[in-house]
Amino acid sequence: MEKIKCYGCGAVIQSDDEKKIGYVPKNALNRDQVLCRRCFQLKNYHQLQKAELTDDDFLAILNRIGEENCLVIYMIDLFDFNGSMIQGLLRHINYNDVIVVANKRDILPKSIKDHKIEMWVNRQLKKEGIRPLAVLLTSGKKNYHLDELMNMIDQYRKGRNVYVVGVTNVGKSSLINALLKAYGQNDALITTSEFPGTTLDIIEIPLDDHSCLYDTPGIINRHQMAHLLSQDDVNMIMPQSELKPVNYQLNDRQTLYFGGLARFDYLKGNKTSLTCYFNKRLKLHRTKLEKADELYNRHMTLKPEIKDIKTMKDFKTYQFTLPDHKVDIVISGLGFITLKEGKAIIEIKVPDGVGVFIRDALI
């Protein structure tokens, strides 16, 4: 008997265990398109039921891609570039042809030229050993460069299947839905949300009589802040519109809090200017270094926070000596801070497991 899959997330439909993925009541099985209970609740009530997929499940999907000659669309998140990298991707997909789609262009300030962003993306990819056939900036939310993406797929796939891969929350399903809407296939829309791990299995979308485009589940990158937050707090850190830079002047031994989720300590250096790129709903708070621990431990003004973290001793600390040129300090999934030229010693405090990176400045 042919397996029925949820058109929203790709999970195999079953009616035996409502606690497992793909559950649908038996009386709903006779519909032309079947939506599992998890997708139904997410779409209509904004409630997310946890899925039971492991890292091995995701790697098995990547290895399956590597077993055929295909074109791979590797989606990265311009807001969280470092957090959206998949380690060892080329090896897992057996070095198939790759196009890099840099999504969420609408989040970055419009004042930055696309060409400058593309050059920056190419430099970062080169450091990771990735040399794609092409790089394209897109926005599934704003329908940006959709025609160019379809033309690029037609140009490079050469009759082959196309697989879209990326980490959770990179916007794969949203971009595919934008393509479907643009080409009049509204009845085939797949489930999207700001919560990590919405797609649970490969979703097949025909391109012609002989080949398909496949949306794959997002690889879980546990460096990202969203995996530690409640559903309500995810909205506070995930930007939905253009980032508005917030500028600060800092002397040494001053601190910046990003809600109750992260902390920047400027330990040593000349007076400097820095620019913060975070969701505008996330409150930033500046204080003196000697008062910073006390401020957090009062738990009054710093929201949101991680429930299991009670004092500053529960944070992990990263210390960096910054070079004498402009850099970004990235807190994976939360945002980034651009520091002007000038050597300095800084510390970043984040929940254990959240990634912190230093990179060449994007803006």
Side-chain angles (χ1 to χ4, degrees):
M1 183 177 177
E2 184 179 357
K3 293 180 179 179
I4 302 173
K5 288 192 172 185
C6 170
Y7 74 84
C9 69
V12 175
I13 293 298
Q14 55 87 20
S15 298
D16 299 324
D17 190 342
E18 61 182 278
K19 294 182 180 180
K20 292 184 178 180
I21 61 174
Y23 176 77
V24 171
K26 290 183 179 179
N27 60 8
L29 290 174
N30 58 356
R31 297 171 182 169
D32 293 336
Q33 290 185 316
V34 181
L35 194 68
C36 73
R37 174 180 286 181
R38 177 178 179 271
C39 285
F40 181 84
Q41 291 178 337
L42 188 56
K43 181 178 180 180
N44 294 285
Y45 302 107
H46 211 57
Q47 297 175 352
L48 179 65
Q49 174 187 339
K50 293 295 183 181
E52 299 177 1
L53 293 182
T54 67
D55 292 349
D56 289 340
D57 294 324
F58 296 119
L59 289 178
I61 290 172
L62 288 183
N63 291 331
R64 170 180 159 183
I65 295 172
E67 292 173 357
E68 68 171 283
N69 178 17
C70 59
L71 175 65
V72 175
I73 306 296
Y74 177 24
M75 284 194 64
I76 58 175
D77 182 347
L78 284 171
F79 175 64
D80 188 19
F81 181 93
N82 303 82
S84 59
M85 299 303 293
I86 301 174
Q87 298 302 313
L89 172 69
L90 296 184
R91 175 170 47 85
H92 288 299
I93 63 173
N94 200 22
Y95 300 93
N96 270 306
D97 289 340
V98 172
I99 294 172
V100 170
V101 171
N103 197 34
K104 303 185 185 180
R105 170 62 184 96
D106 57 299
I107 297 299
L108 297 184
K110 296 183 180 68
S111 58
I112 315 172
K113 301 295 184 183
D114 279 9
H115 178 65
K116 182 178 179 181
I117 300 174
E118 288 173 4
M119 290 178 61
W120 183 89
V121 170
N122 274 301
R123 288 197 301 270
Q124 302 307 308
L125 292 172
K126 186 177 180 180
K127 291 178 181 180
E128 299 290 333
I130 299 173
R131 297 180 182 273
L133 298 175
V135 170
L136 182 68
L137 307 185
T138 61
S139 167
K141 187 174 181 179
K142 298 294 185 180
N143 295 344
Y144 190 60
H145 282 169
L146 294 188
D147 289 337
E148 289 87 344
L149 178 57
M150 286 305 297
N151 291 337
M152 196 174 282
I153 290 172
D154 288 340
Q155 176 184 353
Y156 290 112
R157 73 183 184 90
K158 299 175 181 177
R160 298 175 293 176
N161 289 327
V162 180
Y163 288 85
V164 185
V165 304
V167 303
T168 53
N169 246 11
V170 77
K172 293 185 294 83
S173 298
S174 295
L175 188 69
I176 290 173
N177 277 345
L179 289 171
L180 292 173
K181 289 178 181 178
Y183 292 95
Q185 300 186 44
N186 289 314
D187 58 341
L189 299 185
I190 53 186
T191 303
T192 63
S193 80
E194 72 274 25
F195 305 122
T198 302
T199 302
L200 300 180
D201 203 346
I202 291 177
I203 297 174
E204 179 181 293
I205 301 166
L207 292 173
D208 55 37
D209 292 339
H210 308 289
S211 58
C212 295
L213 183 147
Y214 296 96
D215 182 24
T216 64
I219 309 299
I220 293 178
N221 188 338
R222 304 190 190 280
H223 289 308
Q224 295 176 315
M225 185 72 74
H227 294 288
L228 302 178
L229 299 180
S230 68
Q231 294 180 19
D232 291 337
D233 290 340
V234 168
N235 285 331
M236 194 171 290
I237 71 166
M238 297 297 293
Q240 301 298 322
S241 58
E242 181 181 348
L243 293 169
K244 300 299 182 184
V246 178
N247 297 304
Y248 283 94
Q249 296 286 327
L250 284 188
N251 295 310
D252 62 351
R253 302 194 63 76
Q254 284 192 307
T255 291
L256 267 182
Y257 271 106
F258 305 94
L261 302 177
R263 169 175 149 180
F264 173 96
D265 291 341
Y266 189 61
L267 298 182
K268 186 176 181 181
N270 295 327
K271 184 177 181 179
T272 190
S273 59
L274 54 85
T275 306
C276 301
Y277 296 92
F278 294 80
N279 188 332
K280 61 186 178 182
R281 294 184 59 196
L282 185 69
K283 301 299 183 183
L284 278 57
H285 192 95
R286 178 170 53 183
T287 188
K288 294 181 178 179
L289 181 63
E290 58 265 26
K291 297 181 179 179
D293 285 4
E294 178 186 352
L295 177 65
Y296 181 84
N297 295 340
R298 289 207 310 264
H299 289 275
M300 293 176 65
T301 59
L302 303 173
K303 303 293 181 182
E305 59 185 355
I306 306 296
K307 292 181 180 179
D308 294 336
I309 295 181
K310 303 302 181 186
T311 71
M312 284 310 306
K313 295 179 180 179
D314 297 324
F315 278 82
K316 185 169 183 178
T317 300
Y318 296 88
Q319 186 175 107
F320 300 97
T321 299
L322 301 182
D324 195 13
H325 62 265
K326 193 175 179 182
V327 295
D328 290 338
I329 298 100
V330 182
I331 303 170
S332 188
L334 187 64
F336 58 96
I337 309 145
T338 301
L339 261 76
K340 310 297 183 185
E341 296 85 350
K343 291 184 178 180
I345 299 174
I346 67 165
E347 285 185 349
I348 303 293
K349 299 182 189 297
V350 292
D352 190 18
V354 172
V356 178
F357 309 94
I358 303 293
R359 70 185 187 194
D360 295 336
L362 168 59
I363 300 173

